[in-house]
Coordinates of all heavy atoms in Angstrom, one line a residue:
M803 N 0.8 -1.2 0.0 CA 0.0 0.0 0.0 C 0.9 1.2 0.0 O 1.8 1.3 0.7 CB -0.9 0.0 1.3 CG -2.0 -0.9 1.3 SD -3.3 -0.2 0.3 CE -3.9 -1.5 -0.6
P804 N 0.6 2.2 -0.8 CA 1.3 3.5 -0.8 C 1.0 4.3 0.5 O -0.1 4.1 1.1 CB 0.8 4.2 -2.0 CG -0.5 3.6 -2.3 CD -0.5 2.2 -1.8
G805 N 1.9 5.1 0.9 CA 1.7 5.9 2.1 C 2.9 6.0 3.0 O 3.9 5.3 2.7
S806 N 2.8 6.7 4.0 CA 3.8 6.8 5.0 C 4.0 5.6 5.9 O 3.0 5.0 6.2 CB 3.6 8.1 5.9 OG 3.5 9.2 5.1
K807 N 5.2 5.3 6.2 CA 5.4 4.1 7.1 C 4.8 4.4 8.4 O 5.0 5.4 9.0 CB 7.0 3.9 7.2 CG 7.4 2.6 7.7 CD 8.9 2.4 7.8 CE 9.2 1.3 6.8 NZ 10.7 1.0 6.9
G808 N 4.1 3.4 8.9 CA 3.4 3.5 10.2 C 2.1 4.3 10.2 O 1.5 4.5 11.2
A809 N 1.6 4.7 9.0 CA 0.4 5.4 8.9 C -0.8 4.4 9.0 O -0.7 3.2 8.8 CB 0.3 6.2 7.6
W810 N -2.0 5.0 9.3 CA -3.2 4.2 9.3 C -3.7 4.0 7.9 O -3.6 4.9 7.1 CB -4.2 4.9 10.2 CG -3.9 4.9 11.6 CD1 -3.1 5.8 12.3 CD2 -4.2 4.0 12.6 NE1 -3.0 5.5 13.6 CE2 -3.7 4.4 13.8 CE3 -5.0 2.8 12.6 CZ2 -3.9 3.7 15.0 CZ3 -5.2 2.1 13.8 CH2 -4.6 2.6 14.9
L811 N -4.3 2.8 7.6 CA -4.9 2.6 6.4 C -6.4 2.5 6.5 O -6.9 1.8 7.4 CB -4.4 1.2 5.8 CG -5.0 0.7 4.6 CD1 -4.7 1.6 3.4 CD2 -4.6 -0.7 4.3
M812 N -7.1 3.3 5.8 CA -8.6 3.3 5.8 C -9.1 2.5 4.7 O -8.8 2.7 3.5 CB -9.1 4.8 5.7 CG -8.6 5.7 6.8 SD -9.2 5.3 8.4 CE -10.9 5.7 8.3
V813 N -10.0 1.5 5.0 CA -10.6 0.7 4.0 C -12.1 1.0 3.9 O -12.7 1.1 4.9 CB -10.4 -0.8 4.3 CG1 -11.1 -1.7 3.3 CG2 -8.9 -1.1 4.5
K814 N -12.5 1.3 2.7 CA -14.0 1.6 2.6 C -14.5 1.0 1.2 O -13.7 0.5 0.4 CB -14.2 3.1 2.6 CG -13.5 3.9 1.5 CD -13.8 5.4 1.7 CE -13.1 6.2 0.6 NZ -13.5 7.6 0.7
D815 N -15.8 1.1 1.0 CA -16.4 0.5 -0.2 C -16.0 1.3 -1.4 O -15.8 2.5 -1.3 CB -17.9 0.5 0.0 CG -18.3 -0.4 1.1 OD1 -17.9 -1.6 1.1 OD2 -19.1 0.0 1.9
S816 N -15.9 0.7 -2.5 CA -15.5 1.3 -3.8 C -16.7 2.2 -4.2 O -17.8 1.9 -4.0 CB -15.3 0.2 -4.8 OG -15.1 0.8 -6.1
V817 N -16.3 3.3 -4.8 CA -17.3 4.2 -5.4 C -17.2 4.3 -6.9 O -18.1 4.9 -7.5 CB -17.1 5.7 -4.8 CG1 -17.4 5.7 -3.3 CG2 -15.8 6.2 -5.1
K818 N -16.2 3.6 -7.5 CA -16.1 3.7 -9.0 C -16.8 2.6 -9.7 O -17.2 2.8 -10.8 CB -14.6 3.6 -9.3 CG -13.8 4.8 -8.9 CD -12.4 4.7 -9.3 CE -11.6 6.0 -8.9 NZ -10.3 6.0 -9.4
I819 N -17.0 1.4 -9.1 CA -17.8 0.4 -9.7 C -18.8 -0.2 -8.7 O -18.7 -0.1 -7.5 CB -16.8 -0.8 -10.2 CG1 -16.1 -1.4 -9.0 CG2 -15.9 -0.3 -11.2 CD1 -15.3 -2.6 -9.3
D820 N -19.9 -0.7 -9.3 CA -20.9 -1.3 -8.5 C -20.4 -2.6 -7.8 O -19.6 -3.4 -8.4 CB -22.1 -1.6 -9.3 CG -22.8 -0.4 -9.8 OD1 -22.7 0.7 -9.1 OD2 -23.5 -0.4 -10.8
R821 N -20.8 -2.9 -6.6 CA -20.4 -4.1 -5.9 C -21.3 -5.2 -6.4 O -22.4 -5.1 -6.8 CB -20.5 -3.9 -4.4 CG -21.9 -3.8 -3.9 CD -21.8 -3.6 -2.4 NE -23.1 -3.2 -1.9 CZ -24.1 -4.1 -1.5 NH1 -23.9 -5.4 -1.5 NH2 -25.3 -3.6 -1.1
P822 N -20.7 -6.5 -6.4 CA -21.5 -7.6 -6.8 C -22.7 -7.8 -5.8 O -22.6 -7.4 -4.6 CB -20.5 -8.8 -6.7 CG -19.2 -8.2 -6.8 CD -19.3 -6.8 -6.2
A823 N -23.8 -8.4 -6.2 CA -25.0 -8.5 -5.4 C -24.7 -9.4 -4.2 O -25.3 -9.2 -3.1 CB -26.1 -9.1 -6.2
D824 N -23.8 -10.3 -4.3 CA -23.5 -11.2 -3.2 C -22.4 -10.8 -2.2 O -22.0 -11.5 -1.3 CB -23.2 -12.7 -3.7 CG -22.0 -12.7 -4.6 OD1 -21.6 -11.7 -5.1 OD2 -21.4 -13.8 -4.7
A825 N -21.8 -9.6 -2.5 CA -20.7 -9.1 -1.7 C -21.3 -8.6 -0.3 O -22.3 -7.9 -0.3 CB -20.0 -7.9 -2.4
P826 N -20.5 -8.8 0.7 CA -21.0 -8.3 2.0 C -20.9 -6.8 2.1 O -20.0 -6.2 1.4 CB -20.0 -8.9 3.0 CG -18.9 -9.5 2.3 CD -19.3 -9.6 0.8
Y827 N -21.7 -6.1 2.8 CA -21.8 -4.7 2.9 C -22.0 -4.3 4.3 O -22.8 -4.9 5.0 CB -22.9 -4.1 2.0 CG -23.0 -2.6 1.9 CD1 -22.1 -1.9 1.1 CD2 -23.8 -1.9 2.7 CE1 -22.2 -0.6 1.0 CE2 -23.9 -0.6 2.7 CZ -23.1 0.1 1.8 OH -23.1 1.5 1.8
P828 N -21.3 -3.3 4.9 CA -20.3 -2.4 4.3 C -18.9 -2.9 4.4 O -18.6 -3.6 5.3 CB -20.5 -1.1 5.1 CG -20.9 -1.6 6.4 CD -21.7 -2.8 6.2
A829 N -18.1 -2.6 3.4 CA -16.6 -2.8 3.4 C -16.2 -4.2 3.6 O -15.2 -4.5 4.2 CB -15.9 -1.9 4.4
G830 N -17.0 -5.2 3.2 CA -16.7 -6.6 3.3 C -16.6 -7.2 4.7 O -15.8 -8.1 4.9
L831 N -17.3 -6.6 5.6 CA -17.3 -7.2 7.0 C -18.1 -8.5 7.0 O -19.3 -8.5 6.7 CB -17.9 -6.2 8.0 CG -17.1 -4.8 8.0 CD1 -17.9 -3.9 8.9 CD2 -15.7 -5.0 8.4
K832 N -17.5 -9.6 7.3 CA -18.1 -10.9 7.2 C -18.7 -11.3 8.5 O -19.7 -12.1 8.6 CB -17.2 -11.9 6.7 CG -16.7 -11.7 5.3 CD -15.8 -12.8 4.8 CE -15.4 -12.5 3.4 NZ -14.5 -13.5 2.8
A833 N -18.2 -10.8 9.6 CA -18.7 -11.2 10.9 C -20.1 -10.5 11.2 O -20.2 -9.3 11.0 CB -17.7 -10.9 12.0
A834 N -21.0 -11.3 11.7 CA -22.3 -10.7 11.9 C -22.3 -9.9 13.2 O -23.0 -8.9 13.4 CB -23.4 -11.8 12.1
H835 N -21.4 -10.3 14.1 CA -21.3 -9.6 15.4 C -19.8 -9.2 15.6 O -19.0 -10.0 15.7 CB -21.7 -10.5 16.6 CG -21.6 -9.8 17.9 ND1 -22.3 -8.7 18.3 CD2 -20.8 -10.1 19.0 CE1 -22.0 -8.4 19.5 NE2 -21.1 -9.2 19.9
I836 N -19.6 -7.9 15.7 CA -18.2 -7.4 15.9 C -18.0 -7.0 17.3 O -18.9 -6.3 17.9 CB -18.0 -6.1 15.0 CG1 -18.2 -6.5 13.5 CG2 -16.6 -5.6 15.2 CD1 -18.2 -5.4 12.6
V837 N -17.0 -7.5 17.9 CA -16.6 -7.2 19.3 C -15.5 -6.2 19.3 O -14.5 -6.3 18.7 CB -16.2 -8.5 20.0 CG1 -15.8 -8.1 21.5 CG2 -17.3 -9.5 20.0
H838 N -15.8 -5.0 20.0 CA -14.8 -4.0 20.2 C -14.2 -4.1 21.6 O -15.0 -4.1 22.5 CB -15.4 -2.6 19.9 CG -15.8 -2.4 18.5 ND1 -14.9 -2.1 17.5 CD2 -17.0 -2.4 18.0 CE1 -15.6 -1.9 16.4 NE2 -16.9 -2.1 16.6
E839 N -12.9 -4.2 21.7 CA -12.3 -4.3 23.0 C -12.0 -2.9 23.5 O -11.5 -2.1 22.7 CB -11.0 -5.1 22.9 CG -11.2 -6.6 22.5 CD -9.9 -7.4 22.4 OE1 -8.9 -6.9 23.0 OE2 -9.9 -8.4 21.8
E840 N -12.2 -2.7 24.7 CA -11.8 -1.4 25.3 C -10.4 -1.4 25.7 O -9.9 -2.3 26.4 CB -12.7 -1.1 26.6 CG -14.1 -0.7 26.2 CD -14.2 0.6 25.6 OE1 -13.4 1.6 26.0 OE2 -15.1 0.8 24.7
A841 N -9.6 -0.4 25.3 CA -8.2 -0.3 25.7 C -8.2 0.4 27.0 O -8.9 1.3 27.3 CB -7.5 0.5 24.6
P842 N -7.2 0.0 27.9 CA -7.1 0.7 29.1 C -6.7 2.2 28.9 O -6.1 2.5 27.9 CB -5.9 0.0 29.8 CG -5.5 -1.2 29.0 CD -6.3 -1.1 27.7
A843 N -7.1 3.0 29.8 CA -6.9 4.5 29.7 C -5.4 4.7 29.7 O -4.6 4.1 30.4 CB -7.5 5.2 30.9
G844 N -4.9 5.6 28.8 CA -3.5 5.9 28.7 C -2.7 5.0 27.8 O -1.5 5.2 27.6
M845 N -3.4 4.0 27.2 CA -2.6 3.0 26.4 C -2.5 3.6 25.0 O -3.5 3.9 24.3 CB -3.4 1.7 26.3 CG -2.7 0.7 25.5 SD -3.6 -0.9 25.5 CE -3.2 -1.5 23.9
V846 N -1.3 3.9 24.6 CA -1.0 4.5 23.3 C 0.1 3.7 22.7 O 1.1 3.5 23.3 CB -0.6 6.0 23.4 CG1 -0.3 6.6 22.1 CG2 -1.8 6.8 24.1
E847 N 0.0 3.4 21.4 CA 1.1 2.8 20.7 C 2.3 3.7 20.6 O 2.2 4.9 20.5 CB 0.7 2.4 19.3 CG -0.4 1.3 19.2 CD -0.7 0.9 17.8 OE1 0.2 1.1 16.9 OE2 -1.8 0.5 17.5
A848 N 3.5 3.1 20.8 CA 4.7 3.9 20.8 C 4.9 4.7 19.5 O 5.4 5.8 19.5 CB 5.9 3.0 21.0
A849 N 4.4 4.1 18.4 CA 4.6 4.8 17.1 C 3.7 6.0 17.0 O 3.9 6.8 16.1 CB 4.3 3.8 15.9
A850 N 2.7 6.1 17.8 CA 1.8 7.2 17.8 C 2.2 8.4 18.6 O 1.6 9.5 18.6 CB 0.4 6.8 18.2
V851 N 3.3 8.2 19.4 CA 3.7 9.3 20.3 C 4.8 10.1 19.6 O 5.8 9.5 19.1 CB 4.3 8.7 21.6 CG1 4.8 9.8 22.5 CG2 3.2 7.9 22.3
H852 N 4.7 11.4 19.5 CA 5.6 12.3 18.9 C 6.0 13.4 19.8 O 5.1 14.0 20.5 CB 5.1 12.9 17.6 CG 4.6 11.9 16.6 ND1 5.5 11.1 15.8 CD2 3.4 11.4 16.3 CE1 4.8 10.3 15.1 NE2 3.5 10.4 15.3
E853 N 7.3 13.8 19.9 CA 7.7 15.0 20.6 C 7.5 16.2 19.7 O 7.9 16.2 18.6 CB 9.2 14.9 21.0 CG 9.5 13.9 22.1 CD 9.0 14.5 23.5 OE1 9.0 15.7 23.6 OE2 8.5 13.7 24.3
L854 N 6.8 17.2 20.2 CA 6.6 18.4 19.5 C 7.5 19.5 20.0 O 7.6 19.7 21.3 CB 5.2 18.9 19.6 CG 4.1 17.9 19.0 CD1 2.7 18.4 19.3 CD2 4.3 17.8 17.5
P855 N 8.2 20.3 19.1 CA 9.0 21.3 19.6 C 8.1 22.4 20.2 O 7.0 22.6 19.8 CB 9.7 21.8 18.4 CG 8.9 21.4 17.3 CD 8.2 20.1 17.7
P856 N 8.6 23.2 21.2 CA 7.8 24.2 21.8 C 7.6 25.3 20.8 O 8.4 25.6 19.9 CB 8.7 24.7 23.0 CG 10.1 24.3 22.6 CD 9.9 23.1 21.8
L857 N 6.4 26.0 20.9 CA 6.1 27.1 20.0 C 6.9 28.3 20.4 O 7.3 28.5 21.5 CB 4.6 27.4 20.1 CG 3.7 26.4 19.6 CD1 2.2 26.8 19.9 CD2 3.8 26.1 18.1
P858 N 7.2 29.2 19.4 CA 8.0 30.4 19.7 C 7.2 31.3 20.7 O 6.0 31.4 20.6 CB 8.3 31.0 18.4 CG 7.2 30.5 17.5 CD 6.9 29.1 18.0
S859 N 7.9 32.0 21.5 CA 7.3 33.0 22.4 C 6.8 34.2 21.6 O 7.2 34.4 20.5 CB 8.2 33.4 23.5 OG 9.3 34.2 23.0
A860 N 6.0 35.0 22.2 CA 5.5 36.3 21.6 C 6.7 37.2 21.2 O 6.7 37.8 20.2 CB 4.6 37.0 22.5
E861 N 7.7 37.2 22.1 CA 8.9 38.0 21.8 C 9.7 37.5 20.6 O 10.2 38.3 19.8 CB 9.8 38.1 23.0 CG 9.3 38.8 24.2 CD 8.3 37.9 25.1 OE1 8.3 36.7 24.9 OE2 7.5 38.5 25.8
E862 N 9.8 36.2 20.5 CA 10.5 35.6 19.3 C 9.7 35.9 18.0 O 10.4 36.2 17.0 CB 10.7 34.1 19.5 CG 11.7 33.7 20.6 CD 11.7 32.2 20.9 OE1 10.6 31.6 20.9 OE2 12.8 31.7 21.2
V863 N 8.4 35.8 18.1 CA 7.6 36.1 16.9 C 7.8 37.6 16.5 O 8.0 37.9 15.3 CB 6.1 35.7 17.2 CG1 5.3 36.2 16.0 CG2 6.0 34.2 17.3
A864 N 7.7 38.5 17.5 CA 7.9 39.9 17.2 C 9.3 40.2 16.6 O 9.4 41.0 15.7 CB 7.7 40.7 18.5
A865 N 10.3 39.5 17.1 CA 11.6 39.7 16.6 C 11.7 39.2 15.2 O 12.4 39.9 14.3 CB 12.7 39.0 17.5
G866 N 11.1 38.1 14.9 CA 11.1 37.6 13.5 C 10.4 38.5 12.5 O 10.8 38.8 11.4
V867 N 9.3 39.1 13.0 CA 8.5 40.0 12.2 C 9.3 41.3 11.9 O 9.4 41.8 10.8 CB 7.1 40.3 12.8 CG1 6.4 41.5 12.1 CG2 6.3 39.1 12.8
A868 N 9.9 41.8 13.0 CA 10.8 43.0 12.8 C 11.9 42.8 11.8 O 12.2 43.6 11.0 CB 11.3 43.4 14.2
E869 N 12.5 41.6 11.9 CA 13.7 41.3 11.0 C 13.2 41.2 9.6 O 13.8 41.7 8.7 CB 14.3 39.9 11.4 CG 15.5 39.6 10.6 CD 16.1 38.3 11.1 OE1 15.8 37.8 12.1 OE2 17.0 37.7 10.3
T870 N 12.0 40.6 9.4 CA 11.5 40.5 8.0 C 11.1 41.8 7.5 O 11.4 42.2 6.3 CB 10.2 39.5 8.0 OG1 10.6 38.3 8.5 CG2 9.6 39.4 6.7
D871 N 10.5 42.7 8.3 CA 10.1 44.0 7.9 C 11.3 44.8 7.5 O 11.3 45.6 6.6 CB 9.3 44.7 9.0 CG 7.9 44.2 9.2 OD1 7.4 43.4 8.3 OD2 7.3 44.5 10.3
A872 N 12.4 44.6 8.3 CA 13.7 45.4 8.0 C 14.2 44.9 6.6 O 14.7 45.8 5.8 CB 14.7 45.1 9.1
H873 N 14.2 43.6 6.3 CA 14.6 43.1 5.0 C 13.8 43.7 3.9 O 14.3 44.1 2.8 CB 14.6 41.6 5.0 CG 15.7 41.0 5.8 ND1 17.1 41.2 5.6 CD2 15.7 40.1 6.9 CE1 17.8 40.5 6.4 NE2 17.0 39.9 7.3
V874 N 12.5 43.7 4.1 CA 11.5 44.2 3.1 C 11.8 45.7 2.8 O 11.9 46.2 1.7 CB 10.1 44.0 3.5 CG1 9.1 44.7 2.6 CG2 9.8 42.5 3.5
A875 N 12.0 46.5 3.9 CA 12.3 47.9 3.8 C 13.6 48.1 3.1 O 13.7 49.0 2.2 CB 12.3 48.6 5.1
E876 N 14.6 47.3 3.4 CA 15.9 47.5 2.7 C 15.8 47.1 1.2 O 16.4 47.8 0.4 CB 16.9 46.5 3.4 CG 18.3 46.6 2.8 CD 19.3 45.7 3.5 OE1 19.1 45.4 4.7 OE2 20.3 45.3 2.9
A877 N 15.0 46.1 0.9 CA 14.9 45.7 -0.5 C 14.1 46.8 -1.2 O 14.4 47.2 -2.4 CB 14.1 44.4 -0.6
A878 N 13.1 47.5 -0.6 CA 12.4 48.5 -1.2 C 13.3 49.7 -1.5 O 13.2 50.4 -2.5 CB 11.2 48.9 -0.4
R879 N 14.2 50.0 -0.5 CA 15.1 51.2 -0.7 C 16.1 50.9 -1.9 O 16.4 51.7 -2.7 CB 15.9 51.4 0.6 CG 15.2 52.2 1.6 CD 16.2 52.7 2.7 NE 16.9 51.6 3.3 CZ 16.5 50.9 4.4 NH1 15.4 51.2 5.0 NH2 17.3 49.9 4.9
D880 N 16.6 49.6 -1.9 CA 17.5 49.2 -3.0 C 16.8 49.4 -4.4 O 17.4 49.8 -5.3 CB 18.0 47.8 -2.8 CG 19.0 47.7 -1.6 OD1 19.4 48.7 -1.1 OD2 19.2 46.5 -1.2
D881 N 15.5 49.0 -4.4 CA 14.8 49.0 -5.7 C 14.6 50.5 -6.1 O 14.6 50.9 -7.3 CB 13.4 48.3 -5.6 CG 13.6 46.8 -5.6 OD1 14.7 46.3 -5.9 OD2 12.6 46.1 -5.2
S882 N 14.3 51.4 -5.1 CA 14.0 52.8 -5.5 C 15.3 53.5 -5.9 O 15.3 54.4 -6.7 CB 13.4 53.5 -4.3 OG 14.3 53.6 -3.2
Q883 N 16.4 53.1 -5.4 CA 17.7 53.7 -5.7 C 18.2 53.2 -7.1 O 18.8 54.0 -7.8 CB 18.8 53.3 -4.7 CG 18.6 54.0 -3.4 CD 19.6 53.6 -2.4 OE1 20.5 52.8 -2.6 NE2 19.5 54.1 -1.2
E884 N 17.8 52.0 -7.5 CA 18.2 51.5 -8.8 C 17.3 52.2 -9.9 O 17.8 52.3 -11.1 CB 18.0 50.0 -8.9 CG 19.0 49.2 -8.1 CD 18.7 47.7 -8.1 OE1 17.8 47.3 -8.9 OE2 19.4 47.0 -7.4
G885 N 16.1 52.4 -9.7 CA 15.2 52.9 -10.7 C 15.0 54.3 -10.7 O 15.2 55.3 -11.1

C-alpha cells in the first residue's frame, strides 16, 4: 500500500464500480457480530507518540516579524535607488 510508514490505512467501499450482489456490505465485513475491545486508559502505541518542539514565544515572533520588515524595507530602498 502506498503511504507513509506507520500510517493508518482506511478501507472503505468502492465508489467507482458497483459491488456484486452477493458481496458483504459495508466494506466486506463478514462477521455478523463485531466485538470491540476497550483499551485501558492511557494506552497509546509507541509509534503514535511524537515529541513536538515548543512554540516560539511572543517576543521571538515579534523579533522575526521585525527582522522580516527590515529586510523588506531594505529591498524597497534598493529598488528605489536603482530605478
Side-chain angles (χ1 to χ4, degrees):
M803 286 280 136
S806 301
K807 197 176 244 187
W810 290 86
L811 174 65
M812 300 296 288
V813 178
K814 61 182 183 176
D815 295 310
S816 172
V817 294
K818 293 185 178 183
I819 58 172
D820 292 334
R821 67 179 169 91
D824 60 339
Y827 183 81
L831 302 175
K832 294 182 181 181
H835 179 64
I836 300 172
V837 177
H838 294 281
E839 297 179 21
E840 285 291 323
M845 184 178 147
V846 178
E847 291 183 27
V851 177
H852 303 282
E853 282 290 325
L854 297 175
L857 294 174
S859 67
E861 293 81 19
E862 291 172 321
V863 171
V867 170
E869 183 179 348
T870 302
D871 288 346
H873 287 299
V874 169
E876 183 179 332
R879 278 193 306 268
D880 291 345
D881 286 345
S882 67
Q883 289 175 2
E884 289 177 7

